[in-house]
């Protein structure tokens, strides 16, 4: 890694020097001619010294900048990995919670359905019991009313029988029989008295 940095620095210095030399050569083309050793060499040496001093003094800040930048990038990569792992864990936890919630909801629906079926059966049984109680009360009421009707009919029949017997007796008894019955009664009541 150190070798590649040196190579990059050397290549950069070479390109800068070559570019500077080419620029100077182009700008002075129409003027008097320059010789390489008389005019160019001192300029190149000055430029090389300036570039060397510049590289020497800026080498450490550039190196520190690129090192810190590399460290920052590595930290960002690490943080991205951690964030990705946390996001995956959170997603897995969320999926698990969704599954648990679905299972719990299904369980609640099943329990509610079973409870509703049980309540329905209890209501049906209660309804049957109420119907049976009402039927028993109606039957008892019918029996009571039937008994009352029989009693009323028996009384009515007895009264009718008495009336009918009284009418027959009145037809058969004449005034002599009537006097005789009264005398017998008076003699019984009077004799006891």
């Amino acid at each position: 890694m150190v070798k590649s940095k040196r190579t990059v620095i050397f290549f950069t210095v070479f390109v800068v020097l070559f570019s500077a030399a080419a620029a100077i050569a182009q700008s002075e083309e129409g003027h008097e001619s320059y010789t390489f050793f008389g005019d160019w060499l001192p300029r190149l040496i000055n430029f090389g010294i300036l570039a060397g001093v510049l590289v020497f003094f800026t080498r450490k800040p550039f190196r520190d900048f690129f090192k810190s930048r590399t460290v920052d990038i590595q930290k960002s990569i690490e943080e991205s990995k951690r964030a990705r792992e946390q996001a995956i864990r959170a997603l897995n936890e969320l999926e698990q919670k969704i599954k648990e919630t679905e299972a719990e909801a299904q369980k609640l629906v099943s329990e509610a359905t079973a409870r509703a079926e049980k309540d329905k059966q209890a209501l049906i049984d209660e309804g049957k019991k109420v119907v049976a109680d009402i039927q028993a009360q109606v039957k008892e009421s019918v029996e009571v009313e039937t008994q009352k009707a029989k009693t009323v009919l028996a009384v009515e029949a007895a009264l009718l029988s008495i009336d009918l017997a009284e009418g027959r007796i009145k037809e058969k008894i004449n005034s002599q029989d009537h006097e005789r019955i009264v005398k017998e009664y008076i003699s019984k009541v009077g004799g006891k008295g």
Side-chain angles (χ1 to χ4, degrees), residues 50-65:
L50 182 64
V53 168
L54 190 66
V55 167
F56 179 76
F57 285 112
T58 59
R59 174 183 60 186
K60 186 172 180 180
F62 276 127
R63 184 178 56 216
D64 291 344
F65 169 75

Side-chain angles (χ1 to χ4, degrees), residues 126-143:
E126 185 67 25
K128 287 179 181 178
K129 182 181 175 188
V130 168
V131 167
D133 289 346
I134 291 173
Q135 286 176 341
Q137 288 176 355
V138 167
K139 185 177 179 182
E140 186 178 323
S141 295
V142 167
E143 288 176 2

Side-chain angles (χ1 to χ4, degrees), residues 18 25 144 179:
F18 182 74
V144 167
E179 281 181 25

Side-chain angles (χ1 to χ4, degrees), residues 18 26 28-29 36 40 42 58 66 96 111 115 119 165 175:
F18 182 74
Q26 274 185 346
E28 300 200 9
E29 265 184 21
F36 181 73
W40 285 94
T58 59
F66 286 117
Q96 183 65 28
E111 288 176 358
R115 195 175 318 121
D119 290 347
S175 59

Side-chain angles (χ1 to χ4, degrees), residues 11-28:
F11 182 70
T12 305
V13 170
F14 176 74
V15 169
V16 170
L17 288 175
F18 182 74
S19 300
I24 292 171
Q26 274 185 346
S27 66
E28 300 200 9

